[in-house]
Amino acid sequence: MAQKGSDDKQFSRRDFLKTTGVATGGIIGGSLLGGFVGYNLDDGDTASDTSGENKGEGAADGSAENPGRIFFHNDAQFETISQAMERIYPEDDMGPGAIKLGAPYFLDMQLAGAYGNNSKEYMKGPFYEGEPTQGYQSRLTRAELFTLGIERLDTEANEAFDDDFSKLDGEDMDEVLTRFQKGEADMGVPPATAKSEDFFNLLRSATIEGVYCDPMYRGNRGMEGWKMKQFPGHQHQYIDKIDSGEFEDIKPQSLYGGKS
């Protein structure tokens, strides 16, 4: 897989941070991010431009950054999904990646609640295979789809590289993720039940949402995601800034009142 130089990688991350209209904590459309595995913003059908050695650390350990898990009770499953999120939003010289920003813990919290249980959506039959334009149409809840997707990530990894997904190097992880992105991975169930591209799109959206959410949702640790975008967070007012006549670098503030 072709590797870009460090300047190209840095530009890709900076260009993404400055130009995307990511609504903090909102739903991120797959078309907005294109093929954002390894933050490759040029080709929606390709995966990583990052180093094959770039793997996140500390996802499932007992470090001080571990706030405890609600949905994921299996360390191996949590490590798999954490490493997949890290490949979508990897750490580099521009800032931390998905793991250090707490995105896996954001997903853990979401899957344990209404998002994971599809509580606000109609989930009764009859079930038909959805059209590509309809997005996620699975009869499975998101919690069930993520559980299945994690299992299939390991299955694909073992079939291709004889090891679990979390133990692969970065380039091999990207190859597996690209198969899911293109809908080429076998989910082990009929397409009307679940498609690999649906799992990948949900994973990609959850990763970006976890990176840029308010820290009260357990992602965006230290508001570092906001800092990279120079987003001020949830300020109570800007009245004292309006008449200054000069640009001010405002420190971000969280909904719960925390400041960076």
Side-chain angles (χ1 to χ4, degrees):
M1 185 175 296
Q3 297 287 317
K4 291 187 179 180
S6 60
D7 291 341
D8 291 334
K9 287 199 299 180
Q10 183 175 7
F11 174 78
S12 296
R13 170 66 71 88
R14 181 181 292 113
D15 183 63
F16 172 78
L17 293 174
K18 288 186 176 181
T19 61
T20 55
V22 177
T24 304
I27 300 301
I28 310 301
S31 60
L32 172 66
L33 298 174
F36 196 53
V37 179
Y39 60 93
N40 173 11
L41 303 178
D42 298 319
D43 186 349
D45 291 329
T46 57
S48 176
D49 286 333
T50 61
S51 166
E53 300 302 319
N54 185 8
K55 293 178 64 177
E57 299 178 356
D61 63 15
S63 68
E65 290 192 334
N66 183 347
R69 302 197 300 264
I70 306 171
F71 178 80
F72 291 106
H73 302 295
N74 182 290
D75 287 347
Q77 287 182 336
F78 189 65
E79 186 66 19
T80 294
I81 201 66
S82 296
Q83 293 298 336
M85 297 176 89
E86 182 73 11
R87 293 312 297 169
I88 292 174
Y89 197 95
E91 178 178 0
D92 67 359
D93 56 354
M94 294 296 292
I99 288 178
K100 287 189 177 179
L101 286 168
Y105 287 99
F106 164 83
L107 176 60
D108 174 73
M109 181 178 182
Q110 297 304 307
L111 291 179
Y115 170 84
N117 296 324
N118 294 62
S119 299
K120 298 182 179 180
E121 297 167 60
Y122 184 82
M123 296 295 291
K124 302 295 183 181
F127 299 100
Y128 301 99
E129 184 175 350
E131 297 298 325
T133 55
Q134 293 180 297
Y136 169 75
Q137 294 289 313
S138 176
R139 68 184 67 185
L140 303 179
T141 64
R142 293 184 186 87
E144 292 169 335
L145 183 56
F146 268 94
T147 300
L148 176 62
I150 292 170
E151 176 188 326
R152 301 312 296 181
L153 279 173
D154 282 332
T155 298
E156 289 281 327
N158 275 284
E159 289 179 354
F161 303 106
D162 297 320
D163 213 341
D164 290 342
F165 180 85
S166 63
K167 297 177 182 177
L168 303 181
D169 63 31
E171 289 186 355
D172 292 342
M173 286 184 182
D174 291 345
E175 185 173 328
V176 173
L177 285 171
T178 299
R179 286 185 54 77
F180 280 81
Q181 181 184 14
K182 292 181 177 180
E184 297 173 352
D186 180 11
M187 292 293 283
V189 294
T193 301
K195 299 178 181 179
S196 65
E197 61 265 39
D198 290 339
F199 167 67
F200 177 84
N201 289 335
L202 287 178
L203 171 61
R204 177 173 53 187
S205 294
T207 300
I208 304 305
E209 291 165 17
V211 165
Y212 293 120
C213 70
D214 190 282
M216 70 180 293
Y217 299 108
R218 306 205 305 173
N220 189 19
R221 284 181 180 152
M223 292 177 265
E224 293 297 327
W226 289 351
K227 291 174 185 176
M228 285 189 283
K229 286 186 70 69
Q230 295 183 303
F231 177 68
H234 304 281
Q235 302 290 323
H236 294 296
Q237 62 181 14
Y238 294 94
I239 295 176
D240 57 332
K241 316 292 185 188
I242 293 175
D243 297 326
S244 66
E246 298 179 0
F247 174 81
E248 292 194 38
D249 187 6
I250 304 174
K251 292 183 178 181
Q253 177 170 299
S254 171
L255 280 171
Y256 61 72
K259 291 189 176 182
S260 61

